[in-house]
Amino acid sequence: MISSLQGVAAHVGDDALVVVVGGVGLSVAVTPQVARTTHVGAQVHLHTHLVVREDALSLFGFETREELTVFTQLIGVTGVGPKSAMGVLSSLTVPQIAQAVTDDDDAPFKRVSGIGPKTAKLIVVQLAGKLAVPAAQAPAAVAPHGQVPLQVTQALIGLGWSERVAAEAVASVAENAADADRASVQALLRLTLALLGPARREPVGG
């Protein structure tokens, strides 16, 4: 079982990456969010799940172990295959999934392509008690809101952007971001990098 991989992105598609590990290129299905924030040549580390079928081996990759855990729980639900599970994780965050299950609310799952009303209800029923909302929301409380933009700005400066460019980009993204993203260093950094563009570094004095 391939539980994780680390390598260099050789190709980036809309919902898949080719990651070169030890000279071997591995095709990995990912959410569009991961694909949008990854560029060719970037170092990639993903938590993975290998789906083995008679006619194919399919690898699915996730940024966090929480996403991987939810993925494995979803494909354990009657009627939910790997592609549908990826659709859920592409449309909803882990905290949103946990909250919907806790609230016995199948509406968010009905809006996911490939998930019908019956399957949406089964997700809520079969995952009940398996997803803890406080644990799922914990990453958003890593730092006080006021400290998150500062930490993200400092991280961008460390990556090579000037303080002015970094601060302006963070402020722009934070203004339009969801509350959960504004409260998470990882989420706000990912969104800001998507705005700035891949590998676009400036001299610190620029």
Side-chain angles (χ1 to χ4, degrees):
M1 179 65 70
I2 303 175
S3 60
S4 67
L5 60 85
Q6 184 169 341
V8 177
H11 173 76
V12 178
D14 292 336
D15 54 6
L17 308 176
V18 174
V19 182
V20 177
V21 182
V24 177
L26 300 175
S27 178
V28 189
V30 296
T31 63
Q33 295 93 317
V34 172
R36 283 196 300 267
T37 55
T38 304
H39 62 274
V40 173
Q43 286 288 332
V44 176
H45 180 267
L46 296 171
H47 301 278
T48 58
H49 181 86
L50 180 65
V51 175
V52 180
R53 291 181 173 171
E54 291 183 2
D55 58 345
L57 299 176
S58 302
L59 198 58
F60 296 84
F62 308 91
E63 284 188 306
T64 68
R65 187 163 293 280
E66 289 77 15
E67 290 173 323
L68 172 61
T69 298
V70 172
F71 174 81
T72 58
Q73 291 173 327
L74 283 168
I75 61 177
V77 174
T78 305
V80 179
K83 289 185 178 180
S84 295
M86 289 298 284
V88 172
L89 284 163
S90 297
S91 303
L92 303 166
T93 65
V94 169
Q96 287 171 336
I97 294 169
Q99 190 66 61
V101 170
T102 300
D103 294 343
D104 193 23
D105 180 12
D106 60 2
F109 303 113
K110 290 179 182 178
R111 293 191 287 268
V112 177
S113 177
I115 302 289
K118 181 179 179 181
T119 303
K121 188 61 179 177
L122 282 173
I123 291 174
V124 171
V125 171
Q126 294 187 18
L127 294 189
K130 297 181 180 179
L131 301 175
V133 175
Q137 291 179 338
V142 169
H145 287 209
Q147 291 296 316
V148 172
L150 177 61
Q151 292 183 32
V152 174
T153 300
Q154 292 172 340
L156 290 170
I157 292 172
L159 290 172
W161 275 278
S162 69
E163 182 176 358
R164 176 183 59 81
V165 170
E168 290 178 356
V170 171
S172 176
V173 170
E175 182 178 358
N176 299 298
D179 289 343
D181 290 334
R182 283 199 299 269
S184 167
V185 172
Q186 181 182 12
L188 191 60
L189 177 60
R190 182 170 64 247
L191 291 171
T192 308
L193 285 171
L195 173 67
L196 289 170
R200 190 172 301 165
R201 298 166 64 95
E202 294 190 22
V204 173

